[in-house]
Amino acid sequence: DAGVIQSPRHEVTEMGQEVTLRCKPISGHNSLFWYRQTMMRGLELLIYFNNNVPIDDSGMPEDRFSAKMPNASFSTLKIQPSEPRDSAVYFCASSLILAGGPRETQYFGPGTRLLVL
Amino acid sequence: QKEVEQDPGPLSVPEGAIVSLNCTYSNSAFQYFMWYRQYSRKGPELLMYTYSSGNKEDGRFTAQVDKSSKYISLFIRDSQPSDSATYLCAMTSGGSNYKLTFGKGTLLTVNP
């Protein structure tokens, strides 16, 4: 069974350019998470979708960041315009969360390494 | 004060050593505690999962939670070079809150 798939794996871009990161969650999972990882701040949750609906976007740093989940098998995280301080590893994770059910594992993708020059 | 504190290390031990990794936290609402392992240039993967206080053992790994002290630990017995990775603690209050709060991670190297 394929795990969480992210693309691209590496992205190098210049300041001011638009960056789009893509994620395909594990089939059957109903929850999707976007994280950012840096040495300074560690792993931070950016946004959480449940059944394709954004539930918590309080971690999105500013209006330059946006995320969509048009269907259960695809999500994008967009940065426009990109800045050098956005350089980080961006992870997508998915999970099956049932109301009132036990806490389930989040399965992480391999990440996208973003470098903004 | 950060919600979750974790010593970043690095921690270097010889093969076969017992390793102790720890996190402290400040939010008394946290009830679910996890340890993730992250190999270099990979995504984190769940290693251990514990609800409330107590111990949980899985092979060479033991997770301990002391809610009264707001302190969690991961012990690795007979450490192997393949255990070399970054270990992140994570926790959540549960209920309708699915947000995980992570420690920054401890980099462990097990030398052959």
Side-chain angles (χ1 to χ4, degrees):
Chain A
D1 183 23
V4 175
I5 299 172
Q6 291 187 247
S7 64
R9 294 293 306 277
H10 300 87
E11 178 82 20
V12 181
T13 190
E14 292 187 346
M15 183 173 64
Q17 296 298 305
E18 178 179 295
V19 175
T20 299
L21 311 181
R22 297 172 177 79
C23 175
K24 177 179 170 53
I26 293 172
S27 177
H29 283 186
N30 63 356
S31 296
L32 185 139
F33 306 80
W34 281 101
Y35 290 89
R36 178 172 67 177
Q37 187 176 41
T38 62
M39 290 289 290
M40 287 293 292
R41 301 174 67 89
L43 198 60
E44 302 174 287
L45 178 66
L46 299 177
I47 187 168
Y48 156 53
F49 291 87
N50 182 255
N51 292 322
N52 312 337
V53 176
I55 303 299
D56 182 356
D57 65 354
S58 59
M60 296 286 264
E62 49 197 273
D63 292 346
R64 297 184 298 106
F65 285 69
S66 62
K68 293 182 180 180
M69 191 164 187
N71 57 61
S73 59
F74 183 68
S75 177
T76 59
L77 177 68
K78 187 173 292 187
I79 308 173
Q80 166 63 20
S82 58
E83 296 183 3
R85 59 192 167 121
D86 301 329
S87 298
V89 183
Y90 291 81
F91 288 103
C92 175
S94 73
S95 181
L96 176 61
I97 294 177
L98 303 175
R103 210 47 70 236
E104 293 294 341
T105 304
Q106 290 186 22
Y107 295 86
F108 283 76
T112 295
R113 292 183 171 272
L114 173 65
L115 177 61
V116 183
L117 302 173
Chain B
Q1 180 185 12
K2 291 185 183 297
E3 274 196 299
V4 179
E5 299 274 7
Q6 183 176 9
D7 186 340
L11 184 61
S12 182
V13 302
E15 183 175 353
I18 296 175
V19 176
S20 173
L21 304 168
N22 312 291
C23 288
T24 59
Y25 63 94
S26 58
N27 188 346
S28 58
F30 287 146
Q31 295 190 74
Y32 298 85
F33 304 91
M34 287 142 270
W35 286 95
Y36 279 79
R37 179 175 60 195
Q38 184 176 19
Y39 290 114
S40 179
R41 297 186 173 269
K42 302 286 188 183
E45 57 178 344
L46 183 68
L47 190 60
M48 298 285 285
Y49 174 100
T50 310
Y51 171 67
S52 194
S53 286
N55 293 358
K56 185 173 183 178
E57 188 173 319
D58 184 2
R60 296 184 295 109
F61 298 89
T62 299
Q64 285 187 351
V65 175
D66 182 348
K67 290 187 69 179
S68 63
S69 301
K70 297 189 178 66
Y71 188 87
I72 70 171
S73 301
L74 177 70
F75 297 96
I76 307 174
R77 291 183 300 280
D78 186 25
S79 57
Q80 302 295 309
S82 58
D83 295 328
S84 299
T86 296
Y87 290 80
L88 302 106
C89 61
M91 47 200 78
T92 181
S93 58
S96 60
N97 180 14
Y98 298 102
K99 180 177 178 178
L100 293 182
T101 301
F102 283 86
K104 283 192 176 181
T106 300
L107 176 61
L108 170 68
T109 301
V110 181
N111 301 299

